[in-house]
């Protein structure tokens, strides 16, 4: 009995604690607290303003009365906000920071708006800025009014007037005295100016670049003056004529005009302050395609490396968003844009820095050294093998890449191409190679290509890709750098144009490294405000390394326990949520009159779309699913159908998918999937059937593994050596991003609409309690206690599938316990206590 009583008391205590926590987490509670704070800030602000007109009259009695004295006060207050306003304003002015208190009141206004969800505010940054402004303004105003105080003090026989106001408050007066005693008046001026620059730098990231441009402009003007003086002296030395004497007396702008008009061979170049990419000229300027010929005319071409950065950037700030020219003639939008400037989606994380190149490992020099013995031996074997079948060769050329050498042959006239293509196995046996691939004919060339693996294979590092000039100067929306081609060129694609990517290959052939390379190339280019990932990892170990960037780059369902999705039931819910997000985005595009997300975001940045009407900046969403085959085997159509919907429609709204599988069979990669994934990456597979499933043709079964891949888009087929990025490199990148300031939560996906939802009680509005789910009452109590209408909360607490949890939520909506879906926000809970809940239960019965 005692044990049961103890257990029940613990349950009651736990329930009370949950109610207490739910009360403080409630949006209604936040709104009420915010409203109180806002009213207090407005009350204090008006009282402060009134103080400058009535403070002298109220000063005597206000100084002697406590703000918390609620007894009768025998005084006639002149303050606009009454006696409490007079006492409060007098205390703020004489005991706090003087006029600078307005900045603290401004912080309270921002805090109130944040709690009321009227505006999202970075509270920590706002508090630091308001505090810094308060302290600096208090000291600066006290110092500025120092002369006035020295005039007033002698006029009152050495005593300050009682009516005199310390404009910066006692804090400013004390700090001013301390600074003057230690630094003197000139040193205090310098300290105030220096601290002003620091405060402005906290407020805006444009402060330091503006000062740099300003000083550089002055330096340029000084250089112009010096050059003009030097030119003038040369003219004077060359001929002491009256005209040159006259030029000495002309104004500066006249000399500048004369100089720029007459002296064309020695112009003064303007200083360019834009960041430049430095290229290693010493390693690449003398490295064109280098033909090397043997005695019999065999030509070998070395594929040159891509230009790379000569200096490693140690912390690259993200470039700011710029407004584009407005052509729609929206006068109201023009006025708003002129007043507020373009909207900057990166402003919340304005100090975000892109990852450093130091995190990526540099391998040994990738300069290709030709083994002439190997090349001549391969050339002779190719010619000999073809000669056995009466196929004479007119010309042969070799292009040496990092892992593959391409031999281009030109047969004699009259030789059928199919005859050479059928000798693929014979040539492979003759060359003793792991596997060769014959391209007959080479696209755009009158040659036949034979790809042969090198004996000494080079590693293509991710550093060489990210540091390449092609990657750094690319303007792709979603750049994915996969590696290098046979000709040693960086191979990049734009995911936004593909628009989805299918990756397949046998186990251990480089799929995971390829996915990491794709993610890394996006992280090195995009700001968290511009890109979100949805990572699905049934193996639970591949993507866990990215959990540290959850508040920067990851999107999840509301109340998701983990940022990386590993449970197949959560995968179904997430995919359904993404289809809801897709539909919501299409509605916004329709309202905005835009065809795609790029046009929509440009309008939003140029302030052509009103956020109060539901418009918002849309980041790109990239869904990456590893081990897609395992999900299909587990969930089947429940997985395939939402993927097909997203693949068919989501391109225009900025949602793209990358799915990977190690089982490229027809029951995994179905016709629906293939039809909607035109871009495909094939790593090595075990059979020609699997290759045809992925690429609609052979070739993937002839790859050599270790990152060797074929990229197919349309009719083009490109062989690429995938860039290698190791786990420690990815860890450093993730930790660097995770240690920076992030958003308060992950990017919330909308609450998905469950299958069969709509009629909560078995499709009848008058259904009774017998038609409800057995967990209906428990779910209702859970929702009311937590005051949060979330399907994932029900799913997690009762360990049930998503579809059942969705039907429970629909039944709760039908019963009037929760409201309808609100996009990414949880449903509103209409019932505030269990008494109201019991009345609903009794009505249903």
């Amino acid at each position: 009995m005692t044990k049961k009583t103890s257990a029940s008391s613990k349950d009651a205590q736990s329930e009370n604690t949950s109610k207490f926590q739910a009360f403080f987490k409630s949006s209604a509670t936040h709104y009420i607290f915010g409203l109180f704070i806002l009213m207090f800030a407005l009350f204090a602000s008006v009282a402060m303003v009134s103080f400058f007109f009535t403070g002298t009259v109220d000063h005597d009695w206000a100084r002697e009365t406590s703000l918390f004295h609620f007894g009768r006060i025998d005084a006639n207050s002149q303050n606009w906000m009454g006696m409490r306003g007079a006492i409060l304003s007098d205390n703020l002015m004489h005991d706090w920071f003087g006029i600078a208190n307005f900045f603290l009141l401004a912080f309270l206004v921002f805090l109130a708006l944040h709690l009321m969800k009227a505006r999202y505010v970075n509270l920590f940054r706002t508090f630091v800025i308001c505090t810094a402004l308060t302290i600096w303004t208090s000291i600066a105003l006290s110092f500025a009014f120092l002369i006035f105080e020295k005039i007033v003090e002698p006029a009152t026989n050495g005593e300050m007037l009682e009516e005199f106001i310390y404009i910066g408050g006692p804090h400013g007066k004390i700090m001013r005295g301390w600074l003057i005693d230690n630094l003197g008046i000139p040193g205090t001026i310098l300290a105030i100016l220096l601290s002003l620059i620091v405060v402005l730098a906290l407020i805006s990231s444009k402060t330091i670049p503006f000062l740099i441009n300003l000083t550089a402009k002055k330096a340029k003007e000084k250089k112009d003056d010096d050059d003009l003086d030097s030119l003038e002296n040369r003219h004077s030395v060359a001929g002491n004529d009256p005209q040159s004497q006259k030029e000495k007396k002309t104004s500066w702008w006249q000399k500048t005009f004369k100089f720029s008009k007459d002296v064309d061979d020695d112009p003064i170049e303007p200083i360019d302050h834009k960041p430049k990419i430095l290229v290693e000229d010493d390693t690449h300027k003398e490295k064109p395609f280098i033909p090397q010929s043997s005695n019999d005319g065999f030509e070998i071409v070395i594929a040159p490396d891509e230009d790379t950065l000569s200096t490693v950037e140690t912390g690259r700030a993200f470039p700011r968003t710029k407004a584009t020219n407005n052509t729609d003639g929206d006068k109201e939008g023009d006025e708003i844009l002129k007043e507020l400037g373009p909207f900057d989606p990166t402003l919340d994380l304005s100090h975000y820095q892109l990852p450093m190149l130091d995190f990526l490992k540099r391998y040994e020099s990738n300069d290709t050294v030709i083994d002439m013995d190997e090349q001549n031996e391969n050339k002779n074997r190719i010619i000999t093998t073809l000669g056995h079948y009466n196929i004479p060769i007119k010309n042969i050329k070799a292009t040496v890449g990092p892992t593959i050498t391409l031999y281009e042959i030109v047969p004699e006239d009259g030789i059928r191409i199919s005859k050479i293509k059928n000798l693929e196995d014979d040539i492979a046996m003759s060359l003793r190679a792991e596997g060769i691939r014959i391209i007959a004919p080479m696209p755009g060339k009158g040659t036949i290509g034979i790809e042969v693996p090198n004996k000494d294979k080079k590693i293509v590092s991710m550093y060489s890709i990210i540091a390449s000039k092609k990657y750094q100067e690319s303007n792709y929306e979603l750049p994915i750098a996969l590696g290098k081609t046979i000709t040693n060129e960086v191979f990049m694609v734009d995911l936004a144009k593909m628009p989805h990517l299918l990756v397949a290959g046998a186990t251990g052939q480089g799929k995971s490294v390829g996915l990491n390379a794709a993610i890394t190339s996006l992280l090195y280019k995009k700001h968290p405000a511009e890109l979100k990932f949805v990572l699905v990892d049934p193996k639970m170990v591949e993507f866990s390394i990215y959990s540290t960037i959850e508040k920067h780059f990851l999107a999840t369902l509301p109340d998701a326990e983990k940022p990386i999705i590993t449970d197949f039931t959560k995968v179904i819910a997430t995919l359904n949520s993404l289809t809801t997000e897709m539909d919501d985005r299409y509605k916004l595009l329709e309202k905005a009159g835009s065809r795609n997300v790029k046009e929509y975001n440009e309008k939003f940045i140029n302030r052509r779309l009103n956020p109060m009407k539901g418009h918002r900046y849309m980041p790109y969403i990239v869904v990456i699913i590893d081990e897609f085959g395992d999900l299909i085997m587990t969930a089947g159509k429940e997985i395939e159908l939402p993927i097909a919907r997203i693949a068919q429609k989501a391109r225009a709204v900025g949602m793209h998918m990358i799915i990977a599988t190690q089982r490229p069979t027809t029951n995994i990669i179905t016709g629906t999937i293939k039809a909607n994934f035109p871009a495909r990456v094939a790593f090595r597979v075990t059979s020609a059937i699997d290759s045809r499933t992925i690429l609609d043709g052979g070739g993937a079964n002839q790859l050599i593994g270790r990152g060797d891949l074929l990229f197919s888009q349309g009719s083009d087929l490109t062989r690429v050596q995938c860039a290698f990025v190791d786990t420690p490199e990815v860890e450093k990148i993730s930790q660097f991003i995770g240690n920076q300031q992030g958003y308060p939560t992950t990017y919330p996906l909308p609450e998905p609409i469950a299958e069969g939802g709509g009629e909560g009680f078995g499709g009848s509005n008058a259904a009774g309690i017998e038609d409800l789910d057995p967990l209906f009452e428990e779910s209702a109590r859970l929702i009311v206690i937590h005051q949060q209408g979330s399907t994932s909360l029900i799913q997690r607490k009762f360990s049930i599938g998503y579809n059942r949890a969705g039907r429970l939520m629909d039944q709760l909506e039908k019963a009037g316990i929760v409201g309808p879906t609100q996009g990414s926000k949880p449903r509103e809970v209409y019932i505030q206590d269990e008494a109201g809940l019991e009345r609903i239960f009794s009505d249903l019965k």
Side-chain angles (χ1 to χ4, degrees):
M1 184 69 181
T2 306
K3 290 183 179 179
K4 291 184 179 180
T5 305
S6 176
S8 61
S9 63
K10 286 183 179 179
D11 292 341
Q13 185 178 0
S14 176
E15 185 175 351
N16 291 333
T17 304
S18 299
K19 289 181 179 179
F20 186 76
Q21 292 176 347
F23 172 76
F24 281 100
K25 290 181 179 179
S26 170
S27 57
T29 304
H30 291 174
Y31 189 89
I32 293 173
F33 272 113
L35 195 60
F36 272 113
I37 295 173
L38 181 62
M39 292 299 103
F40 172 78
L42 295 177
F43 178 88
S45 299
V46 175
M48 288 275 291
V49 173
S50 175
F51 176 85
F52 294 103
F53 302 96
T54 62
T56 304
V57 179
D58 295 332
H59 177 68
D60 291 337
W61 66 266
R63 292 295 293 170
E64 298 174 356
T65 308
S66 170
L67 182 63
F68 302 101
H69 175 73
F70 296 102
R72 177 177 175 79
I73 301 175
D74 189 13
N76 184 19
S77 173
Q78 299 297 315
N79 193 283
W80 301 339
M81 305 307 289
M83 292 185 178
R84 298 299 163 189
I87 298 171
L88 177 62
S89 60
D90 192 89
N91 287 342
L92 289 174
M93 287 297 298
H94 289 100
D95 296 335
W96 284 57
F97 298 94
I99 291 180
N101 285 307
F102 280 108
F103 290 112
L104 295 181
L105 296 177
F107 171 73
L108 292 181
V109 171
F110 284 119
L111 175 61
L113 294 176
H114 184 79
L115 289 174
M116 296 167 68
K117 292 183 170 56
R119 179 177 179 180
Y120 172 75
V121 180
N122 187 329
L123 292 179
F124 178 76
R125 184 172 183 269
T126 306
F127 175 75
V128 171
I129 290 174
C130 290
T131 303
L133 284 171
T134 301
I135 296 172
W136 185 88
T137 305
S138 172
I139 298 172
L141 288 177
S142 295
F143 184 79
F145 279 78
L146 176 64
I147 299 176
F148 177 70
E149 291 183 22
K150 290 188 176 296
I151 293 174
V152 173
E153 190 171 344
T156 56
N157 299 323
E159 296 181 0
M160 297 295 293
L161 289 173
E162 289 292 329
E163 295 85 1
F164 182 76
I165 300 172
Y166 291 115
I167 205 75
H171 167 270
K173 184 174 183 299
I174 293 170
M175 290 303 299
R176 178 196 68 193
W178 184 85
L179 288 171
I180 292 176
D181 291 342
N182 287 274
L183 303 177
I185 290 181
T188 301
I189 295 174
L190 292 176
I192 291 175
L193 292 176
L194 177 62
S195 59
L196 175 62
I197 294 174
V198 174
V199 172
L200 292 177
L202 285 174
I203 296 174
S204 174
S205 60
K206 298 179 180 178
T207 301
I208 302 302
F210 172 77
L211 294 176
I212 293 174
N213 290 337
L214 185 64
T215 53
K217 183 179 179 181
K218 294 295 184 184
K220 178 182 179 300
E221 292 176 357
K222 179 68 169 60
K223 182 177 182 296
D224 288 347
D225 289 341
D226 293 342
D227 288 341
L228 289 171
D229 292 340
S230 175
L231 179 65
E232 191 175 308
N233 292 335
R234 293 201 300 268
H235 279 282
S236 299
V237 172
N240 194 16
D241 57 287
Q243 181 66 22
S244 62
Q245 295 293 332
K246 183 179 179 180
E247 287 180 359
K248 291 184 178 180
K249 298 179 181 180
T250 56
S251 62
W252 179 88
W253 67 270
Q254 288 173 321
K255 291 191 289 183
T256 305
F257 176 77
K258 186 72 176 175
F259 170 71
S260 61
K261 179 179 179 182
D262 295 340
V263 186
D264 292 329
D265 57 340
D266 189 22
I268 299 176
E269 296 182 359
I271 298 174
D272 185 8
H273 299 288
K274 296 180 180 179
K276 295 181 178 179
I277 297 178
L278 304 179
V279 180
E280 295 184 23
D281 295 335
D282 56 340
T283 58
H284 297 291
K285 66 183 180 181
E286 296 180 357
K287 221 174 159 186
F289 283 88
I290 306 171
Q292 298 186 11
S293 300
S294 60
N295 296 331
D296 56 359
F298 175 43
E299 183 182 356
I300 299 176
V301 177
I302 304 175
D305 291 335
E306 286 279 332
D307 291 343
T308 57
L309 297 174
S310 61
T311 57
V312 177
E313 298 174 76
T314 56
R316 302 174 294 160
F318 192 84
R320 314 311 305 162
T321 303
K322 296 182 180 179
T324 55
N325 294 330
N326 176 41
T327 57
D328 57 8
D330 186 354
K331 293 183 178 180
E332 183 180 355
D334 286 335
E335 294 176 0
I336 297 174
L337 181 64
K338 186 176 180 181
E339 179 183 355
L340 301 177
F343 171 77
D344 185 0
T346 66
L347 192 61
D348 288 337
L349 301 183
S350 57
H351 299 291
Y352 175 80
Q353 290 186 341
L354 295 172
M356 297 183 290
L357 293 177
D358 285 340
F359 298 146
L360 299 174
K361 185 177 179 181
R362 299 195 200 191
Y363 293 90
E364 295 180 0
S365 174
N366 286 330
D367 293 343
T368 305
V369 179
I370 292 182
D371 184 350
M372 290 302 299
D373 293 336
E374 178 186 355
Q375 300 303 324
N376 284 316
E377 183 180 356
N378 288 343
K379 180 257 305 185
N380 292 331
R381 285 180 174 171
I382 291 174
I383 294 174
T384 302
T385 303
L386 295 176
H388 290 327
Y389 296 92
N390 297 321
I391 303 176
I393 300 300
K394 191 188 301 183
N395 186 27
I396 183 168
K397 181 177 73 172
T399 302
V400 183
T403 58
I404 300 293
T405 297
L406 173 64
Y407 295 91
E408 295 181 62
I409 62 174
V410 180
E412 293 288 350
D413 297 337
I415 301 299
R416 297 178 61 183
I417 294 177
S418 60
K419 190 174 182 181
I420 299 177
K421 196 168 179 64
N422 291 334
L423 297 176
E424 192 170 53
D425 294 335
D426 297 274
I427 296 174
M429 185 178 68
S430 174
L431 295 174
R432 299 181 180 89
E434 299 177 48
I436 67 168
R437 195 168 72 99
I438 295 180
I439 309 168
M442 292 283 292
K445 298 181 180 181
T447 61
I448 297 173
I450 302 175
E451 294 175 348
V452 180
N454 297 334
K455 292 181 180 178
D456 184 17
K457 301 175 181 62
K458 305 294 182 183
I459 295 177
V460 177
S461 66
M462 198 67 199
Y463 175 88
S464 65
I465 304 299
I466 299 298
S468 67
K469 186 176 180 181
K470 182 176 182 179
Y471 176 85
Q472 294 292 337
E473 295 182 352
S474 69
N475 56 359
Y476 291 166
E477 292 295 323
L478 295 173
I480 292 183
L482 289 176
K484 290 187 177 182
T485 63
I486 291 176
T487 57
N488 227 20
E489 296 176 354
V490 171
F491 184 79
M492 289 180 59
V493 290
D494 189 354
L495 183 61
K497 293 181 179 179
M498 286 197 283
H500 310 289
L501 181 63
L502 172 63
V503 181
T507 304
Q509 302 304 317
K511 287 193 315 301
S512 297
V513 174
L515 293 177
N516 285 331
I519 296 173
T520 300
S521 56
L522 290 171
L523 292 178
Y524 268 89
K525 269 287 187 182
K526 307 304 287 185
H527 187 279
E530 298 179 325
L531 173 66
K532 301 298 175 184
F533 291 104
V534 175
L535 301 180
V536 179
D537 180 18
K539 290 195 295 188
M540 305 184 187
V541 292
E542 293 295 342
F543 293 150
S544 60
I545 197 170
Y546 296 106
S547 59
T548 55
I549 63 173
E550 58 175 316
K551 294 185 177 179
H552 298 81
F553 282 101
L554 298 190
T556 60
L557 287 173
D559 300 328
E561 294 180 350
K562 300 177 182 179
I564 311 299
I565 304 164
T566 57
D567 185 2
F568 82 93
T569 58
K570 297 292 179 66
V571 176
I572 298 172
T574 302
L575 292 175
N576 289 330
S577 174
L578 287 169
T579 58
T580 304
E581 171 75 8
M582 177 183 69
D583 294 336
D584 292 343
R585 289 190 172 199
Y586 266 112
K587 292 176 184 176
L588 292 177
L589 258 65
E590 182 183 15
K591 289 169 60 178
S594 301
R595 294 179 302 171
N596 53 57
V597 70
K598 187 176 181 180
E599 292 181 6
Y600 178 90
N601 283 340
E602 285 180 357
K603 287 185 178 181
F604 192 86
I605 288 172
N606 287 303
R607 300 190 185 275
R608 298 291 176 270
L609 303 175
N610 189 352
M612 301 301 293
K613 295 181 180 180
H615 290 291
R616 54 191 169 92
Y617 183 85
M618 295 185 192
Y620 285 97
I621 297 178
V622 177
V623 184
I624 303 179
I625 302 177
D626 193 15
E627 295 302 336
F628 174 69
D630 184 61
L631 294 177
I632 287 290
M633 297 294 289
T634 306
K637 293 294 183 182
E638 288 186 284
I639 291 285
E640 185 178 355
L641 291 179
I643 286 180
R645 277 205 67 205
I646 294 171
Q648 288 169 354
K649 293 180 58 179
R651 171 183 184 174
V653 292
M655 298 169 64
H656 306 275
M657 301 192 75
I658 302 175
I659 63 175
T661 179
Q662 65 179 0
R663 287 183 285 184
T665 56
T666 52
N667 62 331
I668 302 297
I669 304 177
T670 61
T672 304
I673 296 297
K674 290 179 66 174
N676 294 292
F677 284 77
R680 301 166 198 170
V681 169
F683 290 88
R684 185 181 183 182
V685 294
T686 55
S687 68
I689 296 176
D690 290 344
S691 178
R692 284 193 289 271
T693 303
I694 307 167
L695 302 173
D696 295 325
N701 56 311
Q702 298 166 326
L703 300 175
I704 62 174
R706 295 175 60 86
D708 190 18
L709 65 90
L710 289 173
F711 176 82
S712 170
Q713 188 169 16
S715 59
D716 297 333
L717 198 64
T718 307
R719 191 165 186 173
V720 179
Q721 177 61 41
C722 183
F724 179 68
V725 54
D726 205 358
T727 302
E729 300 172 61
V730 179
E731 284 180 347
K732 291 177 183 177
I733 296 169
S734 299
Q735 288 173 3
F736 176 79
I737 295 174
N739 290 335
Q740 298 185 61
Q741 177 189 354
Y743 295 103
T745 62
T746 58
Y747 183 81
L749 296 174
E751 192 76 31
I753 300 174
E755 296 179 4
E759 294 298 334
F761 301 160
S764 174
N765 292 337
I769 193 70
E770 66 276 2
D771 297 319
L772 299 178
D773 192 285
L775 292 175
F776 176 79
E777 292 191 17
E778 294 182 57
S779 300
R781 289 191 174 90
L782 176 72
I783 294 297
V784 171
I785 289 175
H786 287 81
Q787 286 295 300
Q788 188 175 16
S790 171
T791 306
S792 57
L793 177 64
I794 296 176
Q795 184 182 2
R796 187 173 69 252
K797 289 294 184 182
F798 297 113
S799 300
I800 60 177
Y802 175 76
N803 290 335
R804 185 180 180 187
R807 286 191 290 270
L808 275 167
M809 186 59 70
D810 292 334
Q811 292 175 4
L812 292 172
E813 179 185 353
K814 200 74 175 178
I817 298 173
V818 298
T821 58
Q822 305 180 60
S824 61
K825 298 179 181 178
R827 296 173 185 245
E828 184 179 357
V829 182
Y830 292 151
I831 307 301
Q832 303 298 321
D833 51 31
E834 290 196 25
L837 194 61
E838 293 297 334
R839 285 195 296 270
I840 291 179
F841 290 160
S842 62
D843 291 342
L844 290 174
K845 293 176 181 179

